[in-house]
């Protein structure tokens, strides 16, 4: 289950990072017509940093996708090799979730 939470946190991190990159790009575009050598230098550095960050984000997404595929393949192999264990495990998880939902509804 730790792997799933790691994947979810990676996905959230990538999503948050995309928002930051988009905001930074919007800021750069908004200040594009503002003059000054110092501002132009800072803008160029920011654009370079954004390019590097986008490349790293793309790499991170590729790694996360590869990990997700590995987990899916391993799960598929396990289910095919152990169908009854998979069915009983799924039923057990469903039972626990049902009980928890039932308890939460009763509290209202």
């Amino acid at each position: 289950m730790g792997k799933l939470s790691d994947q979810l946190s990676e996905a959230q991190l990538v999503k948050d990072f995309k928002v930051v990159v988009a905001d930074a790009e919007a800021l750069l575009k908004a200040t594009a017509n503002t003059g000054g050598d110092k501002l132009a230098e800072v803008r160029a550095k920011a654009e370079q940093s954004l390019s590097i960050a986008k490349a790293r984000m793309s790499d991170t997404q590729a790694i996360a996708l590869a990990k997700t595929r590995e987990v899916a393949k391993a799960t598929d192999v396990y289910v095919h090799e152990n169908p009854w264990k998979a069915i009983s495990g799924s039923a057990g998880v469903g039972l626990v979730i049902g009980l928890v939902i039932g308890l939460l509804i009763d509290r209202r």
Side-chain angles (χ1 to χ4, degrees):
M1 188 119 189
K3 288 183 181 181
L4 179 61
S5 63
D6 290 345
Q7 289 174 354
L8 293 175
S9 62
E10 284 178 9
Q12 184 61 43
L13 181 62
V14 168
K15 183 179 176 184
D16 293 344
F17 192 69
K18 283 183 178 180
V19 171
V20 171
V21 168
D23 290 346
E25 286 177 332
L27 179 62
L28 287 172
K29 287 178 185 176
T31 61
N33 296 328
T34 306
D37 291 337
K38 186 66 176 172
L39 185 58
E41 181 183 325
V42 169
R43 190 178 305 114
K45 286 182 182 179
E47 287 173 350
Q48 182 181 14
S49 295
L50 279 172
S51 294
I52 292 169
K54 282 182 173 181
R56 287 185 181 161
M57 183 174 55
S58 178
D59 292 344
T60 301
Q61 283 182 309
I63 291 169
L65 183 59
K67 286 181 182 178
T68 302
R69 286 183 180 154
E70 287 176 20
V71 169
K73 185 175 181 178
T75 302
D76 185 55
V77 168
Y78 179 81
V79 168
H80 280 90
E81 290 177 357
N82 305 291
W84 289 111
K85 285 184 182 179
I87 290 170
S88 63
S90 298
V93 170
L95 178 66
V96 170
I97 291 172
L99 290 173
V100 169
I101 290 172
L103 291 173
L104 291 175
I105 291 174
D106 286 343
R107 288 188 180 179
R108 289 185 177 184

